[in-house]
Amino acid sequence: MKKAALIPARMAASRFPGKLMKPLGGKSVIANTWQATVDSGIFDTVQVVTDSDEIEAEIKKYNGLVFRSTEEFASGTDRIAEAAIDLDAEVIVNVQGDTPFISKAGLKNLVDQFEDTAVEVASLMDIITDKDMIADPNVVKVCVDQKSDSLFFSRSPIPYHRDRHRAVTYYRHIGVYAFRKYALISFTGWPVTPLEDAEKIECLRFLENGMKLRMCLIDQIGVDINTREDLEKARQFLSGRHNQHQ
């Protein structure tokens, strides 16, 4: 089963423009993400998908592969689909460019889900306990069924904790997806759906078209970078990790 990793990367992020080129531990954020994905050793090919000259030059500096997008896309999934059409791979993994601490274990867990022929799309989640993160609309939460298939994604705290005497587990959706190639191509043929548009969460388009995501629970992967504050947290996380290895 051939596997490809595609990393969508654009400069014009609405909440933190240019974040992917910000320095993090001697490399840019996008270079860290690319390096972590390559170092996993899981993929037959790893490509950064971008419309940015600056990001292209940054990745080529490390002899990485770059696919240039031909237009502006509504989502990262739409962006990588263009690159995936001609790829010789059964499973396509979308590694978000702002996840510089993505681990080999998490990526392997994700692609291993496709040994189950019923799985068409999979994604990662971890447990969140911090009350501020649970309430933060920048943190996407997910609820799952008994098979760990997605029920709903939201920026709101889900589930609603009505009975405070009972424990509730909150899961954070980590925006790293894997698709069978046909599922990815199908996604691009569907119009933006009402819940997707309301929440601005692209994977809701799959749910609204009857396609569940198999969610893989992993240990926390560090910090994904959505804001300037996240970048500072990522630098602190990286510094702490270096100190542990000294």
Side-chain angles (χ1 to χ4, degrees):
M1 183 171 63
K2 288 190 175 181
K3 301 172 286 293
L6 298 177
I7 307 173
R10 64 191 186 101
M11 291 293 287
S14 57
R15 280 175 285 168
F16 188 6
K19 65 181 181 179
L20 296 184
M21 288 299 297
K22 299 298 183 184
L24 177 64
K27 290 183 179 179
S28 64
V29 170
I30 186 62
N32 274 281
T33 303
W34 170 83
Q35 191 69 61
T37 307
V38 170
D39 287 350
S40 74
I42 292 170
F43 301 102
D44 296 282
T45 185
V46 176
Q47 298 182 29
V48 171
V49 183
T50 188
D51 57 2
S52 164
D53 292 339
E54 192 175 354
I55 290 175
E56 178 179 16
E58 173 72 358
I59 296 304
K60 287 187 173 178
K61 184 169 72 177
Y62 299 100
N63 297 315
L65 298 176
V66 176
F67 180 93
R68 285 300 294 256
S69 300
T70 60
E71 59 184 278
E72 182 61 36
F73 291 98
S75 72
T77 304
D78 288 304
R79 184 182 299 278
I80 69 162
E82 181 187 32
I85 289 173
D86 295 324
L87 278 181
D88 179 19
E90 181 180 344
V91 173
I92 312 290
V93 178
N94 175 353
V95 179
Q96 300 287 359
D98 58 8
T99 55
F101 305 112
I102 188 66
S103 67
K104 176 178 179 177
L107 292 170
K108 185 177 186 304
N109 190 352
L110 196 59
V111 298
D112 283 351
Q113 301 306 310
F114 292 87
E115 299 298 329
D116 181 347
T117 57
V119 174
E120 297 174 292
V121 186
S123 193
L124 299 178
M125 64 182 184
D126 61 12
I127 294 173
I128 48 176
T129 56
D130 183 277
K131 291 181 179 179
D132 290 339
M133 287 185 67
I134 293 168
D136 187 347
N138 292 319
V139 177
V140 176
K141 277 68 69 174
V142 58
C143 289
V144 297
D145 65 15
Q146 296 295 314
K147 293 183 179 180
S148 286
D149 286 335
S150 59
L151 292 169
F152 194 63
F153 299 86
S154 182
R155 297 184 182 278
S156 298
I158 55 171
Y160 175 72
H161 196 180
R162 184 174 180 178
D163 185 349
R164 298 292 171 173
H165 299 293
R166 295 177 182 270
V168 169
T169 301
Y170 289 91
Y171 297 107
R172 174 178 66 141
H173 179 221
I174 302 166
V176 181
Y177 303 91
F179 320 84
R180 294 197 190 274
K181 185 175 177 179
Y182 73 82
L184 174 58
I185 303 306
S186 295
F187 177 93
T188 64
W190 298 328
V192 173
T193 47
L195 293 173
E196 175 193 7
D197 187 50
E199 292 260 13
K200 298 297 185 285
I201 300 173
E202 62 187 283
C203 56
L204 286 170
R205 196 185 312 178
F206 284 107
L207 295 190
E208 290 182 86
N209 282 279
M211 192 178 289
K212 292 185 176 183
L213 288 77
R214 178 65 52 84
M215 302 303 300
C216 309
L217 180 62
I218 63 168
D219 292 333
Q220 291 191 351
I221 64 167
V223 182
D224 49 340
I225 299 167
N226 295 303
T227 65
R228 287 174 174 81
E229 293 75 19
D230 290 339
L231 179 60
E232 184 54 38
K233 290 177 184 176
R235 288 169 176 164
Q236 292 172 3
F237 178 84
L238 189 61
S239 176
R241 197 162 69 173
H242 283 164
N243 290 339
Q244 286 180 350
H245 290 110
Q246 287 180 352

